[in-house]
Amino acid sequence: MKAPNFRYMKPASLDQALDVLARQGAAAVPLAGGQSLIATLNLRLSAPDILFDISDLDELKGIRVEEGIVSIGAGTVHADIGSSSLVRGHLPLVTEAMRHVAHVAIRNRGTIGGSLAYADPAAEIPACSVALGASFVIASAKGGRVVRACDFYNGLFETDLAAGELLTEVRLPQQNTEEKWGFAELARRHGDFALAGLAAICRHDGNTVAAARLVYFGCTDYAKLAQRVAAKLCGQQLPLEESEWLSQALALDLAPTDSPGLRAATKIKLATTLTRRTLQNMRALSAD
Ligand code: FAD
């Protein structure tokens, strides 16, 4: 299939891009790396009047660290984030997750802003953002606002972004030495979207879990904290023994549904295995 007709614009600055959005509203859709959007156009899942290309806007690119916060421009491509020594030093969870985002050619074009705004339930970076307690900077012609990642996602492919708004920056608190991190995913082939995945930040007291922030992807509808699992995990000794409580808490937190080729019960099983495996292999910041 071919994309429906659309008009194409390429604003020269962020201000111009916001102006286009203010004037055109929902009729205008930002085009970043095009790695998800072009596929949805070709499949006729969306039919915007105007595509406005933000892929060359320098204001949306770059990575910097200030006062414990790693700020990443929304237009920064996955490949640059995955190879950044700043990110590796301060956010090893993100560096690890980037290895699993699609394939090299897609990481060279796809952007962090596109991934966060698209809100694919199987995407790695929305899950990491919620687990790390990130905030998103959102701009519009009327001004800006900052929203916490955990408040940004509210349903399958649904976010808090309104017509006329553009995601401009992601702010991630740098990981610290008191917390351990873990990341794992199960996919049919490396680089495919995950069947089930987990981004985890935990605090331990010896072999006991003292606090946990767990965000699953691929096996639930959007990036959110698995609060029941986290509450049950506190006080548990590692390694976790096989037990019913974990699967029951996962079923409540993830509420998965059957999808083609993967039943909800299988998703719970995968998430249970991933949880035990990830918690057993948590890494410390200084170890990287
Ligand atoms: P685009 O495709 O340009 O845009 C996506 C959506 O976000 C559009 O609705 C667009 O309007 C909106 N948007 C883009 N930027 C902004 C912004 N700054 N503000 C507001 N809205 C914005 N992703 C994964 O996470 N894991 C995978 O395993 C994975 N596998 C893939 C495999 C294949 C074969 C392909 C084609 C893609 C895969 N992807 C995967 C998706 C990839 O990571 C995309 O890069 C990403 O989802 C979208 O980024 P983009 O810059 O290409 O955005």
Side-chain angles (χ1 to χ4, degrees):
M1 278 224 270
K2 284 194 174 160
N5 287 339
F6 55 82
R7 282 183 288 155
Y8 174 85
M9 298 172 76
K10 193 159 189 177
S13 66
L14 178 57
D15 282 346
Q16 265 188 25
L18 296 177
D19 192 48
V20 171
L21 267 177
R23 280 186 289 111
Q24 306 292 344
V29 167
L31 171 68
Q35 298 303 297
S36 298
L37 181 55
I38 298 298
T40 65
L41 294 183
N42 290 342
L43 291 167
R44 304 253 170 161
L45 295 172
S46 67
D49 290 343
I50 302 168
L51 284 194
F52 69 101
D53 188 341
I54 56 171
S55 63
D56 279 342
L57 294 182
D58 286 339
E59 296 106 307
L60 295 182
K61 290 183 184 159
I63 302 168
R64 63 178 201 286
V65 184
E66 250 169 42
E67 295 178 7
I69 304 291
V70 182
S71 299
I72 305 179
T76 311
V77 297
H78 303 316
D80 288 347
I81 298 167
S83 63
S84 161
S85 55
L86 274 183
V87 175
R88 191 175 310 114
H90 297 294
L91 298 168
L93 173 67
V94 174
T95 304
E96 175 63 22
M98 275 297 175
R99 294 196 317 109
H100 298 266
V101 175
H103 311 277
V104 174
I106 292 157
R107 293 200 291 268
N108 283 338
R109 294 284 308 169
T111 64
I112 190 165
S115 181
L116 296 172
Y118 191 57
D120 192 305
E124 291 81 0
I125 304 306
C128 291
S129 301
V130 174
L132 289 164
S135 302
F136 301 154
V137 182
I138 293 169
S140 72
K142 292 186 201 142
R145 65 188 178 105
V146 177
V147 58
R148 295 186 312 161
C150 60
D151 298 327
F152 184 75
Y153 296 102
N154 43 39
L156 189 67
F157 291 102
E158 278 181 19
T159 72
D160 184 50
L161 269 177
E165 292 188 322
L166 202 62
L167 180 60
T168 57
E169 188 178 273
V170 190
R171 294 182 181 159
L172 299 127
Q174 66 183 64
Q175 291 176 237
N176 63 57
T177 47
E178 280 115 61
E179 291 174 335
K180 291 188 172 179
W181 63 276
F183 181 92
E185 76 172 54
L186 297 165
R188 291 209 162 88
R189 295 169 306 186
H190 185 86
D192 282 4
F193 275 107
L195 302 174
L198 169 60
I201 300 287
C202 288
R203 213 173 272 265
H204 291 166
D205 183 3
N207 270 348
T208 305
V209 180
R213 291 173 65 85
L214 308 175
V215 185
Y216 294 82
F217 53 96
C219 48
T220 189
D221 48 357
Y222 64 97
K224 59 191 168 224
L225 290 168
Q227 289 177 332
R228 292 180 188 84
V229 178
K232 292 264 182 196
L233 269 177
C234 286
Q236 294 286 336
Q237 290 271 334
L238 298 176
L240 287 183
E241 291 184 2
E242 293 240 17
S243 51
E244 264 303 296
W245 66 260
L246 181 54
S247 304
Q248 284 168 0
L250 280 165
L252 289 170
D253 274 337
L254 308 184
T257 50
D258 291 344
S259 47
L262 205 59
R263 287 182 305 123
T266 312
K267 294 180 189 179
I268 300 287
K269 184 95 182 137
L270 296 179
T272 306
T273 304
L274 274 181
T275 308
R276 298 180 68 227
R277 190 181 291 175
T278 306
L279 287 173
Q280 191 50 33
N281 295 301
M282 298 294 284
R283 291 185 251 177
L285 185 66
S286 55
D288 292 281

